[in-house]
């Protein structure tokens, strides 16, 4: 502890002498620029670009003469350009793929102005929009969209850098709106539940058909790629009927998943479709949408034996009646305080014990929060941002008893603009802090999002509790982004390192990273003792969630060299792909809580397949050297170094779509696209961009890992799930009649690919991706 404080003091003293060079104040918000579309969804594509998605609405920014639904945001310039999206991605789910591409699943039917159903509908169903001639969007309820992130060295006008959004070639088996998504150990994505059509919550009242809600609910799950597997009904989704939109899913070490919805919890085997009941959420607090409590898996570290614990904070309790139905809540939600309670659960304890229950943790600071969102930071803390003190997610034009809404269409009020920091390593009662954190003046309520950037700052954007664009209401459609700078930006010197690999494996030979003496100040032994190597996957963010988010500390030892440099001997990931599923991540080196820039890596083979697993890495013992010290002047604000490994330039991604499409019909065909991906990866690896330039700061950090023998250191609205305007039911029935479960929900989509070629690759074939004409399709 003394050594840690001594090193921290050295860094802080250096920062004083170079205060002019520090351009980012710790705990502050900066202007993040205009996102062009309201950021309902975001993900980090690589170290240069963030991708943003919005629902179909009247955005002023256009793509091919229609309101844009997507944009790509350049981190360095803080500018965004619109991208083409064909199908309505509103309230979709999403996830990374093993090669670094991303996929989004489902969404809403075609929508026109005012959130009304698209003006072209199914022949036998006027409540299902197929296309809208004004907004130019197609039905997205079964859509699967794939994107290979590109860098500034790529041609963004080329098909390779655009969304693959062609539902004739690639779609789900069912309509899914507000579905959950979580990858398995081989990279296959499990898609759970959702609405087929819906509103505020996924039920009628009284709830006489909890399984199907007259055709509006989907209690099934499916796999992507399906590999011949058909969707199955999931009992849990019937039990939790009503409050199970965006069910919360977390893969566990066994390959089973923690699933939480309503106030119920299970451990679920998606292969066998077997459910093991776990205790209910204490106090019947609801954390899923629209209660939207913050939730995240805590960092996986050697200290906790890589045992997953999931933390839930905030959300809201309302009695069953108050939640209402598809049309609107029966209570005036904006008057109801959100919960300040936090609870954690460890579904698979490392000791094998079966006495599993929720544990109450420290309350949120300064009261409750709905729509709060956890962001995993590379110093192994968790930041919560966004949200409101009262109410729920969603929007409406009324509630049961209130016809004139006081906050426009928002069902939440009292925005909470101050972030808060949670440190799981601190004693209970001391885990939360808001010290030094500013308060944003921009309300971030429904449809806000946040994502970790490669320099360890946080991009915050979105907020749009409105059925269509409205920039003059109480809580308007928001295009203004912010960048929040956490506590560790209080010092200007930051670690750099060389030697980062392009890929990491599950077990196997360790690798070395070199931290130069210029990367730190003070005694080398102290710096080495307080160095950790951390993997962060920011996930796919929407609706107060980061689907797929993970933080994992790699085990490491070190050798202190005469020149003051430190060689870090770093293990591969634990030999269990269930802990940190294959796909993209950022690799950080953190010294005394100060993170480096993240270096882009791919975990696993890059393919959807059983991941090779080797024995856990065996590390050499740490070697100290008295008298060695760092030479960092703390005057540098450079965010990179001379090595490609830590300058955050390349995407290392490629097209996996072709293999996936073929795999829908043929098991195991994904390998056909792997050669294409490898060729592209070699090409992008040769196109390294220059070093990023981000100043950093200080904070407490985790110690390095250890190894054997080493030193220890009413009416349904089919157009919008939250518009809640009393329209005719999407199944044509005002009572969700008894025949509704057999209602035909025909769509223009096809479950089987229209190609027999296992070599199909939409990035190199002539298959249509996005039409360049005004119709944007159809396919």
């Amino acid at each position: 502890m003394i050594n840690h404080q001594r090193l921290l003091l050295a860094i802080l003293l250096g920062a004083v002498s170079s205060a002019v060079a520090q351009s980012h104040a710790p705990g502050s918000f900066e202007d993040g620029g205009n996102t062009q579309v309201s950021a309902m969804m975001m993900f980090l594509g690589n170290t240069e670009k963030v991708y943003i998605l919005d629902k179909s609405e009247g955005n002023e920014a256009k793509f091919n003469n229609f309101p844009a639904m997507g944009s790509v945001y350049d981190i360095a310039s803080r500018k965004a350009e619109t991208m083409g999206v064909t199908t309505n991605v509103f309230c979709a789910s999403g996830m990374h793929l093993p090669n670094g591409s991303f996929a989004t699943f489902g969404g809403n039917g075609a929508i026109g102005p005012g959130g009304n159903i698209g003006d072209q509908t199914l022949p036998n169903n006027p409540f299902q929009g197929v296309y809208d001639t004004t907004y130019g969007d197609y039905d997205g309820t079964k859509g699967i969209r794939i994107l290979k992130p590109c860098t500034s060295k790529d041609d963004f006008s080329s098909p390779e850098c655009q969304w693959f959004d062609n539902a004739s070639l690639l779609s789900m088996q069912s309509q899914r709106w507000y579905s959950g998504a979580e990858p398995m150990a081989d990279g296959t994505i499990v898609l759970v539940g959702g609405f087929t059509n819906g509103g505020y919550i996924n039920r009628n009242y009284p709830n006489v058909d909890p399984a199907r809600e007259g055709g509006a609910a989907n209690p099934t799950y499916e796999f992507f790629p399906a590999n011949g597997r058909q969707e199955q009904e999931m009992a849990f989704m019937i039990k939790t009927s009503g409050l199970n939109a965006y069910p919360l899913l977390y893969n566990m070490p066994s390959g089973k998943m923690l699933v939480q919805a309503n106030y119920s919890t299970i451990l679920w085997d998606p292969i066998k479709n077997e459910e093991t009941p776990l205790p209910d959420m204490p106090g019947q607090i609801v954390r899923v949408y629209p209660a939207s409590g913050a939730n995240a898996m805590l960092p996986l570290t050697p200290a906790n034996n890589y045992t997953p614990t999931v933390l839930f904070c905030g959300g809201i309790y309302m009695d069953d009646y108050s939640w209402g139905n598809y049309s609107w809540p029966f209570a005036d939600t904006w008057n109801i305080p959100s919960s300040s309670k936090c609870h954690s659960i460890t579904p698979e304890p490392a000791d094998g014990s079966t006495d599993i229950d929720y544990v109450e943790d420290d309350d949120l600071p300064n009261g409750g929060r709905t729509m709060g969102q956890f962001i995993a930071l590379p110093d192994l803390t968790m930041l919560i941002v966004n949200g409101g003190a009262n109410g729920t997610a969603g929007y409406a034009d009324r509630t049961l008893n209130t016809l004139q809404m006081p906050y426009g269409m928002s069902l939440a009020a009292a925005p909470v603009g101050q972030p808060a920091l949670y440190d799981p390593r601190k004693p209970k009662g001391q885990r939360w802090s808001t010290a030094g954190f500013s308060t944003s003046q921009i309300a971030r309520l429904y449809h806000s999002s946040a994502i970790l950037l490669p320099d360890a700052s946080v991009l915050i954007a979105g907020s749009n509790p409105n059925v269509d664009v409205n920039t003059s209401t109480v809580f308007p459609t928001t295009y203004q982004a912010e960048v929040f700078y956490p506590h560790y930006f209080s010092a200007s010197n930051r670690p750099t390192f060389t030697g980062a690999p392009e890929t990491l494996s599950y077990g196997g030979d360790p690798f070395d990273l070199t931290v130069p003496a210029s990367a730190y100040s003070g005694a080398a032994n102290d710096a080495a003792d307080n160095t950790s190597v951390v993997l962060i996957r920011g996930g796919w963010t929407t609706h107060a969630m980061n689907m797929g988010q993970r933080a994992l500390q790699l085990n490491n030892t070190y050798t202190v060299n005469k020149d003051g440099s430190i060689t870090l001997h770093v293990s591969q990931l634990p030999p269990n792909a269930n802990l940190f599923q294959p796909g993209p991540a950022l690799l950080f080196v953190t010294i005394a809580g100060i993170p480096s820039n993240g270096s882009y890596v791919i975990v696993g083979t890059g393919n959807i397949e059983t991941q090779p697993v080797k024995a856990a890495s065996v590390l050499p013992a740490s070697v100290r050297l008295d008298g060695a010290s760092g030479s960092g002047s703390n005057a540098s604000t450079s965010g990179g170094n001379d090595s490609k490994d830590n300058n955050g330039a390349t995407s290392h991604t490629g097209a996996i779509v072709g293999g996936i499409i073929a795999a829908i019909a043929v098991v195991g065909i994904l390998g056909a696209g792997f050669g294409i991906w490898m060729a592209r990866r070699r090409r992008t690896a040769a196109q390294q961009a220059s070093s990023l330039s981000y100043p950093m700061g200080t904070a407490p950090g985790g110690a390095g890992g250890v190894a054997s023998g080493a030193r220890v250191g009413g009416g349904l609205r089919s157009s919008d799930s939250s518009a809640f305007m009393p329209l005719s039911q999407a199944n044509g029935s005002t009572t969700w009649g008894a025949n509704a479960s057999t209602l035909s929900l025909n769509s223009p989509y096809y479950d089987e690919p229209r190609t027999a070629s296992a070599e199909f690759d939409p990035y190199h074939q002539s298959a249509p991706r996005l039409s360049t004409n005004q119709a944007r399709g159809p396919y």
Side-chain angles (χ1 to χ4, degrees):
M1 182 65 178
I2 294 175
N3 288 340
H4 177 78
Q5 293 173 339
R6 185 189 309 152
L7 177 66
L8 208 57
L9 179 61
I11 295 173
L12 288 169
L13 288 175
V16 171
S17 66
S18 59
V20 175
Q22 173 58 268
S23 59
H24 305 300
S28 69
F29 291 86
E30 290 186 5
D31 184 351
N34 188 303
T35 57
Q36 299 296 320
V37 299
S38 191
M40 180 189 300
M41 311 165 196
M42 293 196 301
F43 60 88
L44 179 71
N46 48 52
T47 55
E48 293 183 12
K49 307 293 183 182
V50 172
Y51 290 85
I52 299 172
L53 291 168
D54 190 8
K55 61 182 169 132
S56 176
E57 59 181 332
N59 291 316
E60 182 178 352
K62 299 293 193 292
F63 185 87
N64 283 348
N65 299 320
F66 289 109
M69 285 187 280
S71 67
V72 55
Y73 175 92
D74 182 74
I75 297 169
S77 67
R78 298 185 179 180
K79 294 181 179 180
E81 296 182 2
T82 60
M83 295 185 69
V85 181
T86 301
T87 57
N88 190 357
V89 72
F90 178 36
C91 295
S93 58
M95 191 55 62
H96 66 274
L97 297 175
N99 72 339
S101 296
F102 282 79
T104 71
F105 303 97
N108 199 4
I111 296 301
N116 291 306
I117 297 169
D119 54 19
Q120 296 184 16
T121 62
L122 290 174
N124 299 318
N125 186 355
F127 308 103
Q128 184 71 41
V130 175
Y131 178 70
D132 185 76
T133 57
T134 301
Y135 281 178
D137 62 307
Y138 282 83
D139 181 0
T141 54
K142 292 181 69 177
I144 298 175
R145 312 158 195 88
I146 308 289
L147 180 85
K148 180 192 82 77
C150 288
T151 71
S152 58
K153 291 186 177 292
D154 295 311
D155 178 7
F156 271 80
S157 66
S158 70
E160 285 196 17
C161 294
Q162 297 294 317
W163 280 99
F164 179 83
D165 190 359
N166 185 334
S168 295
L169 290 170
L170 190 61
S171 65
M172 295 183 294
Q173 298 175 40
S174 282
Q175 295 173 303
R176 298 190 188 275
W177 190 16
Y178 289 90
S179 63
E182 176 74 352
M184 300 194 300
D186 67 351
T188 296
I189 299 170
V190 184
L191 303 169
V192 176
F195 301 27
T196 62
N197 289 286
Y200 175 55
I201 63 171
N202 197 10
R203 76 173 188 189
N204 295 290
Y205 192 89
N207 193 356
V208 297
D209 182 12
R212 298 284 174 172
E213 301 295 346
N218 185 348
T220 70
Y221 73 97
E222 63 181 279
F223 298 99
F224 174 75
N227 284 335
R229 294 169 289 191
Q230 297 301 304
E231 64 180 8
Q232 299 183 56
E233 192 170 89
M234 187 174 174
F236 181 77
M237 296 303 290
I238 299 174
K239 176 184 177 180
T240 58
S241 173
L243 293 171
N244 58 16
Y246 281 135
L248 305 175
L249 307 169
Y250 289 93
N251 207 44
M252 291 290 118
S254 67
K256 297 179 181 179
M257 292 186 179
L258 175 75
V259 188
Q260 204 285 314
N262 208 311
Y263 56 83
S264 299
T265 315
I266 60 170
L267 195 61
W268 175 56
D269 186 332
I271 301 299
K272 298 179 180 179
N273 196 14
E274 294 178 351
E275 301 177 0
T276 303
L278 294 176
D280 287 346
M281 188 68 70
Q284 297 186 356
I285 301 171
V286 178
R287 262 75 192 238
V288 294
Y289 174 88
S292 298
N295 61 97
M297 184 181 291
L298 295 182
L300 299 165
T301 69
N304 60 33
N305 201 26
Y306 298 108
T307 303
T309 295
V310 180
L311 180 66
F312 303 84
C313 289
I316 197 168
Y317 169 80
M318 295 196 299
D319 62 66
D320 184 67
Y321 177 79
S322 294
W323 283 107
N325 61 12
Y326 282 107
S327 297
W328 44 64
F330 292 169
D332 291 344
T333 54
W334 55 87
N335 291 325
I336 302 174
S338 55
S339 175
S340 63
K341 293 295 181 183
C342 292
H343 299 93
S344 66
I345 190 169
T346 304
E348 294 183 347
D351 62 5
S353 61
T354 57
D355 185 19
I356 300 166
D357 205 348
Y358 282 95
V359 176
E360 186 168 340
D361 208 318
D362 295 355
D363 285 1
L364 287 165
N366 304 321
R369 192 184 298 232
T370 178
M371 294 176 283
Q373 184 170 352
F374 274 124
I375 302 297
L377 301 180
D379 67 344
L380 300 176
T381 60
M382 307 290 293
L383 187 75
I384 189 171
V385 298
N386 299 345
N390 292 352
T392 71
Y395 49 78
D397 66 341
R398 57 166 291 183
T399 64
L400 183 65
N401 297 315
T402 299
L403 302 184
Q404 296 295 321
M405 301 279 285
Y407 298 103
M409 299 188 75
S410 177
L411 291 168
V416 181
Q418 185 182 41
L421 190 72
Y422 176 86
D423 190 340
R425 296 159 298 187
K426 289 189 174 180
K428 192 170 183 181
Q430 303 177 31
R431 292 174 180 163
W432 284 105
S433 174
T434 58
F437 286 176
S438 301
T439 298
S440 172
Q441 300 306 304
I442 300 177
R444 302 290 183 184
L445 295 172
Y446 187 42
H447 291 157
S448 299
S449 56
I451 197 79
L452 183 74
L453 296 179
D455 70 332
S457 64
V458 178
L459 179 65
I460 298 173
S463 191
N464 187 20
N466 302 287
V467 68
D468 205 337
V469 171
N470 188 337
T471 57
S472 61
T473 187
V474 181
F475 299 127
T477 305
T478 302
Y479 301 99
Q480 186 67 41
E482 297 171 288
V483 178
F484 179 73
Y485 291 91
H487 48 289
Y488 40 68
F489 277 84
S490 58
S492 57
N493 197 45
R494 62 175 305 167
T496 56
F497 64 93
T498 60
E502 294 182 353
T503 61
L504 295 173
S505 62
Y506 300 102
D509 294 337
F511 59 95
D512 286 350
L513 302 176
T514 300
V515 177
S518 60
Y520 69 96
S521 299
N525 288 342
D526 293 348
D529 283 341
N530 290 283
T531 295
S532 56
V533 182
V534 177
L535 275 178
I536 299 280
R537 174 177 291 147
W540 190 90
T541 168
T542 191
H543 289 73
M545 303 173 293
N546 286 61
M547 297 181 180
Q549 179 174 240
R550 292 291 188 276
L552 185 146
Q553 179 186 348
L554 296 175
N555 216 348
N556 80 275
T557 57
Y558 60 81
T559 297
V560 175
N561 304 307
K562 291 180 181 180
D563 62 358
S565 65
I566 302 169
T567 301
L568 302 175
H569 312 296
V570 187
S571 70
Q572 300 287 343
L573 281 80
N576 183 348
N578 287 303
L579 292 173
F580 198 107
Q581 302 97 312
L586 294 175
L587 180 71
F588 293 89
V589 169
T590 301
I591 301 179
I594 308 172
S596 66
N597 275 340
S599 182
Y600 187 98
V601 297
I602 290 289
V603 176
T605 64
N607 228 1
I608 296 180
E609 62 184 359
T610 300
Q611 299 296 305
V613 174
K614 300 179 181 179
S617 303
V618 177
L619 301 177
S622 292
V623 177
R624 297 163 63 81
L625 182 63
D626 293 338
S629 63
S631 60
S633 66
N634 294 80
S636 171
T637 58
S638 174
N641 56 35
D642 294 333
S643 168
K644 70 177 183 179
D645 303 303
N646 186 222
N647 64 11
T650 182
S651 69
H652 297 303
T653 56
I656 200 170
V657 186
I660 291 174
I661 293 174
I664 295 174
V666 182
V667 177
I669 208 69
L670 280 167
F674 187 57
I676 296 172
W677 169 68
M678 288 298 292
R680 289 184 194 150
R681 191 166 157 215
R682 287 191 292 268
R683 183 177 68 226
T684 56
Q687 297 176 341
Q688 300 293 331
S690 60
S691 296
L692 297 173
S693 181
Y694 300 117
M696 297 294 294
T698 64
V706 298
S708 176
R711 185 181 183 276
V712 176
L716 172 67
R717 177 156 187 96
S718 71
S719 68
D720 186 335
S721 70
S722 309
F724 322 142
M725 299 180 190
L727 301 178
S728 299
Q729 306 289 359
N731 63 3
S733 167
T734 58
T735 60
W736 302 97
N739 65 338
S741 291
T742 59
L743 181 72
S744 173
L745 293 174
N746 295 327
S747 78
Y749 297 117
Y750 298 85
D751 289 338
E752 297 299 328
R754 293 184 176 182
T755 174
S757 171
E759 301 295 329
F760 179 83
D761 181 354
Y763 293 107
H764 281 103
Q765 305 286 340
S766 58
R769 298 169 55 77
L770 289 169
S771 173
T772 56
N773 62 29
Q774 292 190 350
R776 291 206 247 192
Y779 300 124

